[in-house]
Amino acid sequence: MPELPEVLMVVQGLTNNGIIGRRITQTTVTWPRSAGGSAEVFSSAVTGRTIQAVRRHGKYIFIDLDSAGNLDPGGTIAVHLRMSGRLYAAPADLPLTGYERVVLSLDDHRDVRFYDPRKFGRMVFYRDSSAITDRLGVDPLNDDFTPSVLAGLLGGRKRQIKALLLDQSVIAGLGNIYTDEALWRAGIHPLQRSNTLTAGKVDSLHRAIRSVLLQGISNGGTRLGGGKGNFIVPGTTSTPRNQNHLAVFGRLGEACPKCGNDIRRIVVAQRSTHLCPVCQVPAGEIQDLSATQ
DNA sequence: CGTCGAGCCTGAAGGC
DNA sequence: TGCCTTCAGGCTCGAC
């Protein structure tokens, strides 16, 4: 689930459910690692505080908390969903599934639940969100993500373009799905070196990144591995539909929507990568295309 | 500086 | 049907 559009939906869901202004009356941690290592440290840091805002940068969600006294500076809960995490508000009497790693009980008989089967995600208290955001690159939906900024990020390095787009310290929010979709839209081969893109291609890539993200949002996010037996998240209202609108990701062997050629799969930056070998023509110096199937 | 492999975890899917 | 293997939307650390 979780790349930028999906994280945005989570933030909107929590905000629309009215958790802002609610006080955390109790904290339950069933997997300490999910809460940063110590259930006690996390619980004592957040219990009693009031939620002031919910926001995000890239794939990180921040639940901002008020100060707990005159000498207390407040803080924020930084949430990263990683592979399988979900974050949502639910009635306190809704039965637990057994996969809730952290539960924040609110003062209106509801919970904020951090549900995460694979335990990769994190929900950690920080005094200041800059501890996280200092290490993150530009958010691609922010106004400061311009074509010239992108050109600067790409031109200074000679990395495989896909590896660079996945690097959260460069651009924060793109994951495997939206990266593949953006590169396809821009007609760029995932292995092309970042500093070999023409100005026109950089502009195309900028537009493609924005448009795949906006499309994902307007389609309610992307869900893969859906189908029977898929777990239902309590409290979820919107249905992700963007998986039905992907051009290349997960479509090995299907026809490219532009040219009709077979979609292929290669491995880039140790990640499964889907592309159209006709529309995404290799340009410049590309290493090792032998992995192409 | 850039790439690679391992590790963190569990459930689903595919092969036999 | 059941067992075993492989794979997965992410990120970090250490090695080369």
Side-chain angles (χ1 to χ4, degrees), chain A residues 180-181 183-185 187-190 247-249 251-266 273-282 292:
Chain A
D180 279 5
E181 293 296 309
L183 288 172
W184 173 80
R185 274 197 198 186
I188 297 170
H189 194 285
V248 289
F249 191 90
R251 301 202 179 280
L252 175 64
E254 295 182 32
C256 168
K258 280 185 200 165
C259 75
N261 227 275
D262 285 1
I263 301 300
R264 291 188 188 167
R265 196 186 86 99
I266 62 175
T273 299
H274 298 78
L275 71 149
C276 170
V278 174
C279 295
Q280 293 166 268
V281 182
T292 303

Side-chain angles (χ1 to χ4, degrees), chain A residues 24 27-29 32 34-47 65 76-78 102-104 123-126:
Chain A
I24 299 169
T27 307
T28 307
V29 177
S34 298
S38 166
E40 293 72 28
V41 169
F42 178 81
S43 298
S44 65
V46 308
T47 305
L65 305 176
T76 191
I77 302 173
V102 182
V103 175
L104 310 177
M123 185 171 200
V124 180
F125 177 82
Y126 290 92

Side-chain angles (χ1 to χ4, degrees), chain A residues 88-108:
Chain A
Y88 52 91
D93 59 3
L94 192 75
L96 297 170
T97 66
Y99 293 121
E100 293 80 8
R101 309 305 179 192
V102 182
V103 175
L104 310 177
S105 302
L106 306 180
D107 60 358
D108 63 352

Side-chain angles (χ1 to χ4, degrees), chain A residues 3-276:
Chain A
E3 298 183 39
L4 192 156
E6 293 74 34
V7 170
L8 178 65
M9 318 244 90
V10 170
V11 170
Q12 288 178 346
L14 291 172
T15 303
N16 295 339
N17 272 308
I19 74 160
I20 292 166
R22 304 263 56 98
R23 200 171 72 93
I24 299 169
T25 57
Q26 187 184 333
T27 307
T28 307
V29 177
T30 59
W31 189 258
R33 221 179 157 122
S34 298
S38 166
E40 293 72 28
V41 169
F42 178 81
S43 298
S44 65
V46 308
T47 305
R49 294 182 192 268
T50 297
I51 297 170
Q52 296 202 307
V54 182
R55 60 195 167 89
R56 65 151 197 94
H57 184 105
K59 301 176 197 170
Y60 273 91
I61 300 162
F62 297 102
I63 301 174
D64 291 332
L65 305 176
D66 69 348
S67 71
N70 288 339
L71 298 177
D72 185 289
T76 191
I77 302 173
V79 183
H80 199 301
L81 303 173
R82 294 282 184 102
M83 303 284 269
S84 62
R86 316 267 166 131
L87 188 70
Y88 52 91
D93 59 3
L94 192 75
L96 297 170
T97 66
Y99 293 121
E100 293 80 8
R101 309 305 179 192
V102 182
V103 175
L104 310 177
S105 302
L106 306 180
D107 60 358
D108 63 352
H109 303 292
R110 289 189 302 162
D111 300 328
V112 171
R113 298 183 178 183
F114 179 49
Y115 165 106
D116 186 22
R118 283 179 74 178
K119 300 177 179 173
F120 280 5
R122 292 291 180 266
M123 185 171 200
V124 180
F125 177 82
Y126 290 92
R127 283 295 171 190
D128 193 322
S129 59
S130 65
I132 300 292
T133 55
D134 284 352
R135 292 184 289 113
L136 296 177
V138 58
D139 187 291
L141 287 190
N142 197 301
D143 288 342
D144 58 9
F145 179 66
T146 62
S148 63
V149 164
L150 178 61
L153 293 171
L154 302 187
R157 333 165 194 233
K158 49 177 180 181
R159 294 178 68 181
Q160 298 167 341
I161 182 65
K162 172 158 177 175
L164 190 144
L165 294 178
L166 287 173
D167 186 337
Q168 302 299 299
S169 72
V170 178
I171 297 173
L174 295 177
N176 210 29
I177 297 173
Y178 291 100
T179 299
D180 279 5
E181 293 296 309
L183 288 172
W184 173 80
R185 274 197 198 186
I188 297 170
H189 194 285
L191 287 173
Q192 183 161 352
R193 297 284 158 180
S194 58
N195 60 347
T196 65
L197 292 178
T198 63
K201 280 296 185 189
V202 173
D203 282 350
S204 297
L205 180 58
H206 178 266
R207 250 179 290 121
I209 289 171
R210 292 285 269 255
S211 67
V212 295
L213 294 175
L214 293 173
Q215 178 200 292
I217 292 164
S218 68
N219 285 326
T222 303
R223 184 190 62 204
L224 292 185
K228 64 178 181 186
N230 208 24
F231 49 89
I232 306 292
V233 178
T236 297
T237 52
S238 69
T239 305
R241 303 179 303 283
N242 199 51
Q243 63 276 10
N244 303 320
H245 300 277
L246 299 176
V248 289
F249 191 90
R251 301 202 179 280
L252 175 64
E254 295 182 32
C256 168
K258 280 185 200 165
C259 75
N261 227 275
D262 285 1
I263 301 300
R264 291 188 188 167
R265 196 186 86 99
I266 62 175
V267 174
V268 182
Q270 299 163 282
R271 312 299 301 281
S272 175
T273 299
H274 298 78
L275 71 149
C276 170

